[in-house]
Amino acid sequence: MEERQYDLIFICRPDTPEADIDKLIATLEHTAAEKGAKIESIAKWGRKRMAYRVQKLREGFFVYMVLKSTHGEVVKELERRLKVADPVIKYLTVRLDEELKRQEKLKKHRERRAARRPRKAVPAAPAAPVAPIVPPTEQSAPTA
Amino acid sequence: MANAATHKDREIRQENRMAEENAPMQQSHGPSSGGMRSSGPGGPGGGGRPGGGPGGPAKRGKRNFVRKKKVCRFCVDKADFIDYKKAEILAPFIQERGKILPRRMTGTCARHQRWLTVAIKRAQNIALLPFAAEL
């Protein structure tokens, strides 16, 4: 099976010491490795205001990580651990590989079109000599 | 002569588009109540017709509005992917009460609106965006 990519975000209570969060991240890494998943990156976003209150808290410590795996069992295990962990108040896992694939595809498509376009653009240019140059710059707006 | 006319026409249209690029931003800053409504479907003069062609014929004595053509902001940026983690990009597309703004208000194209709703819903789930206004 091809590789899947997941985004995993979890939020800890804002009053947890960073050492505890590091410890938690370490255990998550360990379980991920055990299940044969690769952790691509980990980013601590730090204390952030949440858009709504969770467990009567307004702030939370956000941690974001990207992992790659060939099967979804890792996610199950990681989510179980997050559910059990005391400082964690919220978590979310999103599978992203299909969207990224789509993004790749669209990008390629656009590049191919851009490569083809110059031939088309040349005959159009003399018909409207001045106007097309104006729009991309924003400074031209006030003159109107 | 005909050539000159079409040229001018095009120029005007481009100006309209340019103005519109800034417009959704302004709208979304204060979507609370009054601002949105007045420019909505029941708005003055122009009637409920969305995006009526620029320079349409004047209707008798009524004020003649040139309805600005809304342009999808994600198409302008050539976005292939809308990231749910960037709450500041998604924020202009929700109302203060947490509702996702419809396409007819923001001018987002169908495809990007589809991606946008998914992104907003994800962001809501991880507390980056509100589900509803706080008490």
Side-chain angles (χ1 to χ4, degrees):
Chain A
M1 199 156 63
E2 68 356 313
E3 207 170 42
R4 295 176 176 181
Q5 184 176 329
Y6 299 92
D7 264 14
L8 176 60
I9 300 179
F10 64 90
I11 310 174
C12 295
R13 293 179 167 277
D15 51 3
T16 40
E18 252 196 87
D20 284 13
I21 293 170
D22 287 335
K23 221 186 281 171
L24 182 62
I25 290 170
T27 57
L28 291 178
E29 271 181 314
H30 186 71
T31 48
E34 234 171 36
K35 291 271 176 185
K38 270 185 288 178
I39 292 188
E40 298 272 302
S41 69
I42 297 175
K44 281 190 271 186
W45 290 352
R47 271 173 74 131
K48 268 169 75 124
R49 217 191 121 82
M50 293 187 284
Y52 47 87
R53 281 195 290 174
V54 182
Q55 292 181 20
K56 298 193 177 169
L57 295 164
R58 289 192 174 275
E59 278 192 331
F61 193 98
F62 283 65
V63 181
Y64 165 67
M65 50 170 90
V66 181
L67 54 127
K68 278 189 171 175
S69 168
T70 48
H71 56 89
E73 267 169 62
V74 207
V75 177
K76 214 172 171 184
E77 179 61 20
L78 289 176
E79 290 203 337
R80 193 190 63 79
R81 278 189 183 264
L82 289 170
K83 209 183 280 179
V84 173
D86 269 338
V88 179
I89 52 175
K90 218 165 176 40
Y91 59 84
L92 177 79
T93 324
V94 181
R95 188 179 160 192
L96 273 183
D97 57 312
E98 275 167 351
E99 269 167 62
L100 293 173
K101 219 190 283 169
R102 187 186 64 194
Q103 183 188 9
E104 251 340 85
K105 198 174 143 194
L106 290 171
K107 207 173 144 194
K108 241 184 238 165
H109 181 70
R110 173 168 299 130
E111 276 163 8
R112 236 180 295 144
R113 277 189 58 174
R116 223 191 303 148
R117 194 168 290 168
R119 267 173 267 159
K120 255 186 188 175
V122 170
V130 193
I133 306 158
V134 183
T137 53
E138 295 225 342
Q139 295 103 316
S140 60
T143 58
Chain B
M1 267 325 273
N3 219 350
T6 53
H7 175 211
K8 191 130 198 190
D9 223 349
R10 194 177 296 163
E11 217 170 30
I12 290 163
R13 232 170 280 165
Q14 258 151 0
E15 269 169 17
N16 283 343
R17 204 180 305 151
M18 228 170 5
E20 188 50 29
E21 267 168 38
N22 301 324
M25 266 306 229
Q26 288 160 4
Q27 277 187 350
S28 48
H29 274 310
S32 48
S33 54
M36 243 359 187
R37 286 283 144 74
S38 64
S39 65
R49 217 186 307 149
K59 266 187 238 162
R60 274 180 271 150
K62 279 188 179 175
R63 272 196 289 170
N64 186 26
F65 273 89
V66 178
R67 193 158 283 262
K68 287 170 191 166
K69 188 153 190 289
K70 289 175 184 160
V71 172
C72 171
R73 222 168 342 133
F74 296 103
C75 284
V76 173
D77 299 341
K78 298 206 167 98
D80 290 328
F81 176 66
I82 299 178
D83 195 351
Y84 70 97
K85 294 184 287 291
K86 290 174 184 156
E88 65 281 1
I89 290 177
L90 308 175
F93 294 93
I94 63 166
Q95 268 172 14
E96 236 156 58
R97 298 287 292 178
K99 282 185 179 181
I100 299 172
L101 283 171
R103 288 205 305 124
R104 77 183 108 91
M105 287 202 181
T106 57
T108 316
C109 73
R111 183 200 244 172
H112 282 122
Q113 180 78 6
R114 232 180 300 132
W115 300 353
L116 181 68
T117 49
V118 173
I120 289 174
K121 284 169 184 177
R122 281 176 183 166
Q124 284 174 336
N125 266 309
I126 198 66
L128 292 172
L129 288 179
F131 281 110
E134 288 254 315
L135 296 174

